[in-house]
Amino acid sequence: MKPWLATIRTQAVVIMGSAVFGLWFLTPSVVWPGSTDWLRWGDMEFAQYIWQYYRHTPVLQWPVTAVDGYGESWGTIFPSSAGIALVGLPLKLISPILPENFQFLGVWTLTCFVLQGFFADRLFAHFGLSALERLFGSLSILVAPVFTFRIGMTHLDLSAQWVVLAGLLLYFKDSVSRPLTRWLILIAVTICIHIYLFVLVISIGTAWVVKGRVSGSGQKQLRSGVHSATLMILTSVVMWWFLGYSTFLGQAKGVGFFRLNTLAFFNPESGADMTYSHVLSWLPLIHNRAFFGEESEGFGFLGLIGVLGLLILAATSRRWFTKQRLRSIGPLLVSATALMLVAVSQQVAVARREFELPIPAVLVDARQIFRVAPRFSWLAYYLVLVAGWISIALLLRRVKFGGLIMCGLLLLGTWDQGSGMMAVRQKLIEAPEKSIDVDTADWNELAASVSRLYLVPTFDVQDDRLPQGAEVWQQNDLWRRLIEFSSHHQLTTNFAYVGRPVTRQVARSNEEIRRSIAERQVPPQSVLVFADPIEWRSATSHLAGQAVAREFDGLYLLITKGDQG
């Protein structure tokens, strides 16, 4: 068989295998665009709600991602609430012909499974692995714990970890003299998916530019490097502006502290009462490990195959890290190391011990812009997985029945992490019960008479310092159900789920709604939902003749009349 036919055949098998595995993991009901019942928790729930808002916004608007009715006067944009602009923007153009009960997150995630396998295969092919080595290697990347875990945690935008593999492929395959088109496309695509993934890709791109400078000399190489870096920066800035990030009124710094334990690559425990390794979980160091805030965000287990590959890689490091190879991969290792240091943070954790590094406060604050920095470890993570599998494949070439051993390793690794994979799969596909059913005749009748829904008081989801009485909204996830109701009926709200604090906007919203009550200037066709029954009764008395009070599913409502000026 001709080499190019063999390559296509292997690619086809990898793509088919990736699609079948992805369909099993997600189930057909999740992938079906008309199925939305599973989108009831986590980030994927809010990704669906903001899509329901966004699809009904004007086609001609600026910024193109604006969602003005969701968090009124907050400057909400589609990507600020787990919205995937890469898919949402084009689908919005055909939204009128799509069914109202439509979701793209299932198909998107299945596509990420396929692309994860595809780019892994392309990487292994570049390094000269045989068809069988590529097949098993691609499948090992497909079941990488960080990949399946992140999907199970409902971060479906972050299932696009294939962009890291695509970046690595361009790094090793493209010379600095080649046109930048593919790099610029990858950068633009990635920023339309998720900012954290963009940082990973732009770090790989920066290393690629430096590699071109290190591998050559003279003014020509310098000019080429400056030209490449300029175009990458320009593409990033233009896409940042186009997606409306500059108009979002929330704070740049995130809340909460998340870090990566230095032993995360060897720790199969997620901190969410599940493990990704039958074999390693019995180790006392791992089993008795003290957990810190949101350990799941620092989950980075390599898997049994990844750990084995890393050990073999370390044992054969002299062959790998020759002077010539270091000139080629050195810049990439520097980028991966720098990102790992950011992920680890100034409060370094080594298993159950920790110590603090004397890092300037300005750098600590800068890190807080990317508050979930453990995700930056994914560049080093995939470097280890790819290099580790290549080390395993090269070693087994010397062994009789090497292909059979590779198959056995893949099966063993998949079995070993099976309990963790099944646990996150169940969390993804089994939606929790709703505290309130907002799709009843009574709720639909209410929606037909109003165009706005205001919480009194509203609150900032990202800020633990809640306005007095606002803790009511967090009981039984009432605020989630009210967002669900509002998104289904396109009601303007003074609350929303966004990824950054909007403390000032929340304070202003509360001042405005209470002033409108005091001045009897509440907008017509509005439903005000009060946290405090005493404040509700007072507002009912003050707005007598202009609004109707109603108790509804345990909520205190005040509904203004349509003819109120």
Side-chain angles (χ1 to χ4, degrees):
M1 181 180 291
K2 294 182 179 180
W4 63 272
L5 282 177
T7 298
I8 292 177
R9 184 181 65 178
T10 305
Q11 286 180 359
V13 173
V14 168
I15 290 172
M16 289 286 290
S18 301
V20 169
F21 177 72
L23 193 60
W24 168 81
F25 188 90
L26 299 172
T27 73
S29 62
V30 165
V31 176
W32 180 247
S35 172
T36 59
D37 287 343
W38 59 283
L39 296 166
R40 288 188 191 169
W41 75 285
D43 281 20
M44 65 185 185
E45 177 181 20
F46 300 110
Q48 178 63 13
Y49 294 157
I50 199 167
W51 157 248
Q52 289 175 304
Y53 269 107
Y54 180 64
R55 63 179 296 185
H56 293 289
T57 58
V59 173
L60 299 178
Q61 63 170 0
W62 188 257
V64 295
T65 56
V67 191
D68 293 332
Y70 186 48
E72 190 176 32
S73 302
W74 289 10
T76 307
I77 57 174
F78 186 54
S80 69
S81 185
I84 304 171
L86 182 68
V87 185
L89 264 67
L91 282 183
K92 175 185 171 179
L93 300 178
I94 61 171
S95 178
I97 65 174
L98 297 176
E100 194 62 34
N101 192 44
F102 174 86
Q103 59 87 14
F104 61 79
L105 295 170
V107 173
W108 158 260
T109 310
L110 179 61
T111 303
C112 288
F113 272 95
V114 173
L115 293 175
Q116 182 89 348
F118 173 79
F119 281 109
D121 173 69
R122 291 290 78 221
L123 256 176
F124 292 133
H126 173 73
F127 287 106
L129 297 194
S130 68
L132 197 61
E133 292 165 345
R134 287 161 47 197
L135 174 61
F136 291 144
S138 300
L139 294 179
S140 73
I141 298 292
L142 189 66
V143 298
V146 158
F147 177 61
T148 57
F149 176 81
R150 192 53 56 183
I151 295 173
M153 291 295 102
T154 78
H155 300 152
L156 303 185
D157 43 0
L158 291 173
S159 64
Q161 294 171 27
W162 53 267
V163 300
V164 178
L165 298 173
L168 292 176
L169 180 61
L170 291 183
Y171 179 90
F172 290 112
K173 191 173 184 179
D174 282 9
S175 67
V176 74
S177 60
R178 292 194 63 170
L180 270 175
T181 306
R182 293 194 293 188
W183 270 111
L184 300 183
I185 290 174
L186 180 61
I187 289 170
V189 164
T190 306
I191 200 172
C192 286
I193 299 173
H194 201 286
I195 289 298
Y196 283 91
L197 295 175
F198 162 73
V199 173
L200 291 168
V201 167
I202 202 69
S203 298
I204 301 172
T206 301
W208 176 77
V209 171
V210 174
K211 182 185 75 167
R213 181 72 184 101
V214 170
S215 60
S217 60
Q219 292 296 318
K220 184 177 180 180
Q221 288 288 348
L222 178 61
R223 285 196 300 270
S224 178
V226 171
H227 173 73
S228 299
T230 302
L231 286 180
M232 287 181 174
I233 293 171
L234 184 61
T235 300
S236 303
V237 171
V238 168
M239 292 304 300
W240 182 274
W241 167 79
F242 175 74
L243 293 174
Y245 281 105
S246 60
T247 67
F248 178 56
L249 300 178
Q251 302 173 29
K253 288 173 57 177
V255 295
F257 175 68
F258 308 95
R259 63 180 172 184
L260 183 80
N261 195 290
T262 54
L263 298 183
F265 283 5
F266 305 97
N267 177 30
E269 308 290 328
S270 71
D273 197 27
M274 68 178 72
T275 181
Y276 257 81
S277 177
H278 296 294
V279 174
L280 298 182
S281 291
W282 62 269
L283 293 175
L285 179 65
I286 292 174
H287 185 69
N288 298 325
R289 182 176 169 191
F291 294 106
F292 39 83
E294 287 217 37
E295 178 79 6
S296 60
E297 285 296 350
F299 179 74
F301 182 51
L302 289 169
L304 207 58
I305 296 176
V307 171
L308 177 61
L310 179 58
L311 294 176
I312 295 175
L313 185 64
T316 58
S317 59
R318 286 189 177 182
R319 185 180 66 185
W320 276 86
F321 300 114
T322 62
K323 185 176 180 180
Q324 182 179 359
R325 281 180 175 164
L326 279 176
R327 289 174 65 88
S328 175
I329 65 175
L332 186 60
L333 294 178
V334 170
S335 283
T337 302
L339 289 172
M340 279 291 288
L341 291 175
V342 175
V344 168
S345 85
Q346 76 282 5
Q347 296 183 22
V348 181
V350 184
R352 291 178 291 169
R353 299 178 180 274
E354 65 176 271
F355 58 92
E356 187 161 357
L357 297 176
I359 303 296
V362 63
L363 295 181
V364 174
D365 288 342
R367 180 188 183 275
Q368 199 61 19
I369 295 175
F370 297 97
R371 65 189 184 105
V372 198
R375 297 167 183 172
F376 290 158
S377 66
W378 293 351
L379 175 53
Y381 183 91
Y382 280 105
L383 275 174
V384 170
L385 288 187
V386 171
W389 181 260
I390 294 173
S391 298
I392 291 174
L394 294 179
L395 180 64
L396 291 179
R397 283 181 179 178
R398 310 173 188 173
V399 180
K400 192 175 183 180
F401 305 117
L404 191 61
I405 296 174
M406 276 192 294
C407 180
L409 283 176
L410 179 63
L411 293 175
L412 175 63
T414 304
W415 166 82
D416 182 56
Q417 63 193 46
S419 61
M421 192 185 303
M422 291 298 294
V424 295
R425 178 176 180 265
Q426 287 301 113
K427 292 186 71 172
L428 176 70
I429 64 180
E430 290 187 358
E433 292 294 326
K434 296 182 180 180
S435 56
I436 295 178
D437 186 0
V438 294
D439 192 24
T440 64
D442 288 341
W443 278 97
N444 290 331
E445 181 183 354
L446 172 64
S449 64
V450 298
S451 60
R452 302 175 181 85
L453 190 151
Y454 296 138
L455 295 186
V456 186
T458 188
F459 71 109
D460 184 355
V461 177
Q462 301 293 342
D463 193 346
D464 291 334
R465 299 165 299 178
L466 299 176
Q468 185 175 358
E471 62 274 3
V472 170
W473 309 130
Q474 296 186 340
Q475 296 174 5
N476 298 318
D477 286 338
L478 284 177
W479 65 283
R480 291 174 178 261
R481 303 287 66 81
L482 292 173
I483 288 180
E484 178 188 2
F485 171 71
S486 301
S487 67
H488 285 173
H489 299 283
Q490 299 303 298
L491 304 183
T492 298
T493 68
N494 67 340
F495 64 104
Y497 176 86
V498 291
R500 285 293 181 269
V502 283
T503 309
R504 291 190 296 271
Q505 287 69 35
V506 164
R508 187 173 65 246
S509 294
N510 283 328
E511 290 175 4
E512 290 176 353
I513 192 63
R514 285 180 167 134
R515 184 169 60 248
S516 69
I517 293 173
E519 297 176 354
R520 295 171 60 88
Q521 294 294 323
V522 179
Q525 295 184 310
S526 300
V527 53
L528 279 60
V529 189
F530 287 82
D532 183 2
I534 297 177
E535 185 177 13
W536 170 64
R537 295 188 187 98
S538 174
T540 299
S541 175
H542 190 69
L543 295 176
Q546 295 184 7
V548 176
R550 186 178 178 185
E551 287 190 56
F552 198 74
D553 275 352
L555 300 174
Y556 303 101
L557 310 184
L558 196 56
I559 306 165
T560 61
K561 298 178 180 179
D563 58 353
Q564 174 61 34

